[in-house]
């Protein structure tokens, strides 16, 4: 496994390989969720690149950029053991200069839900993913359904900017009790960890209601909000897969999304119905 921190070196290395490249962009602190993206990439592609870069432009002022968990040595081990071919581990000044050209998230889809709580977040995400795609030039790129809005916007960017990469969505990996894996879960104390379970419980309840033919989104939302009490809710929304609010669940075309603050930790989860 190679660990490369320079853009030019990575570009030259990958171009010389002439292989089908699978790319898994991450911010590090790797867990089994990231691992399932890597495994999928391994099974589809001849060469797998994982980037580890805590992208400053997707953090708003006052967010947890400075304390975002960093575990480079453990991450390198995990990548090595899972057969990653190249880790791209750049410093910030390798990716960003002064007076930068930026991508802007779409006015509507980029500024609802997560984009409303964190205005500008998705512009930072799209900007860095665009840069990383230009550096790695992957055939396939792997993103978790857990960050459903991010996945939706990246898919849209690839389509609208006519980019030559196939985006592969990967299912959310959970703890055995239902909690979605997240690098931020390490911030939770034992009590918060228990409270956090209300998020997946509320999502499973939504799924149960739909399987019993209750498709009315107001009723489902109401029930979910009860379960989520007393967490501070960012949003609970039921949308179609184009991220439009719907009054009835369309089975096979819906996503139920939750953002909640557990203690100081903002957690996201969703379920695709
Ligand atoms: P992050 O390091 O948080 O930026 O995540 C990197 C990639 O891993 C993103 O595509 C995430 O959606 C994905 N990811 C994060 N958590 C999970 C999970 N629990 N299951 C599947 N994919 C995940």
């Amino acid at each position: 496994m190679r660990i490369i921190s320079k853009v030019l070196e990575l570009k030259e290395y990958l171009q010389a390989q002439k292989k089908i490249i699978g790319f898994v962009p991450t911010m590090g602190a790797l867990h089994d969720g990231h691992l399932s993206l890597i495994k999928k990439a391994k099974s589809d592609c001849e060469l797998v690149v994982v980037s580890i870069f805590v992208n400053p432009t997707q953090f708003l002022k006052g967010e947890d950029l400075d304390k975002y968990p960093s575990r480079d040595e453990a991450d390198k081990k995990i990548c090595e053991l899972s057969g990653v071919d190249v880790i791209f581990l750049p410093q910030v000044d390798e990716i960003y200069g002064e007076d930068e050209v930026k991508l802007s998230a779409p006015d509507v889809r980029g500024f609802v839900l997560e984009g409303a709580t964190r205005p500008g977040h998705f512009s930072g995400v799209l900007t860095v993913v665009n840069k990383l795609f230009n550096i790695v030039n992957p055939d396939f790129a792997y993103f978790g359904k857990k960050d459903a809005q991010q996945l939706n916007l990246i898919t849209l960017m690839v389509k609208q900017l006519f980019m030559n990469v196939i985006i592969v969505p990967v299912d959310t990996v959970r703890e055995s009790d239902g909690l979605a894996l997240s690098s931020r879960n390490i911030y939770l104390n034992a009590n918060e960890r228990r409270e956090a379970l209300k998020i997946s419980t509320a999502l499973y309840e939504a799924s149960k209601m739909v399987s019993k033919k209750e498709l009315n989104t107001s009723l489902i939302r109401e029930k979910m909000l009860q379960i989520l009490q007393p967490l501070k809710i960012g949003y609970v929304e039921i949308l179609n897969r184009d991220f439009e609010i719907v009054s009835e669940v369309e089975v096979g075309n819906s996503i139920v999304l939750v953002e909640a603050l557990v203690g100081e930790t903002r957690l996201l989860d969703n379920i695709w119905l």
Side-chain angles (χ1 to χ4, degrees), residues 25-28 31 33-34 36-37 68 142-147 150 170-173 180-183:
T26 81
M27 298 208 298
H31 50 64
H34 299 110
S36 92
L37 272 61
Y68 196 84
Y142 297 80
F143 290 89
K145 288 185 183 177
K146 170 161 180 300
D147 297 287
Q150 168 175 287
V170 180
D171 286 342
T172 299
V173 178
L181 297 189
S182 161
S183 305

Side-chain angles (χ1 to χ4, degrees), residues 151-262:
L151 170 62
N152 178 269
L153 291 170
I154 289 168
T155 306
L156 196 67
M157 171 179 80
V158 164
K159 183 171 169 224
Q160 292 183 341
L161 300 187
F162 308 104
M163 298 167 101
N164 293 318
V165 52
I166 293 168
I167 302 299
V168 185
V170 180
D171 286 342
T172 299
V173 178
R174 300 177 178 281
E175 304 275 10
S176 53
D177 60 7
L179 183 70
L181 297 189
S182 161
S183 305
R184 290 193 166 99
N185 289 353
I186 56 162
Y187 300 147
L188 302 172
N189 64 31
N191 186 42
E192 290 167 348
R193 171 73 181 67
R194 267 192 302 277
E195 284 291 286
L197 271 187
K198 290 182 174 167
I199 298 173
S200 50
T201 307
L203 290 168
Y204 290 146
E205 180 61 27
S207 170
K208 255 188 246 159
M209 289 174 80
V210 169
S211 65
K212 287 183 188 153
K213 305 277 182 283
E214 179 53 81
L215 302 179
N216 182 309
T217 54
S218 311
L219 292 178
I220 298 172
R221 249 186 114 248
E222 216 170 279
K223 182 74 189 170
M224 290 178 71
L225 288 168
Q226 280 169 18
I227 294 171
L228 287 163
Q229 272 180 17
L231 297 182
K232 202 167 157 204
I233 311 292
Y235 53 80
V236 174
E237 291 295 353
I238 303 174
L239 308 176
N240 66 21
R241 303 231 180 131
D242 288 323
F243 273 75
E244 296 156 339
I245 292 182
V246 286
S247 56
E248 287 228 323
V249 170
E250 302 163 34
V251 177
N253 188 36
S254 299
I255 311 182
V256 187
L257 303 105
V258 175
E259 185 210 71
L261 206 62
V262 182

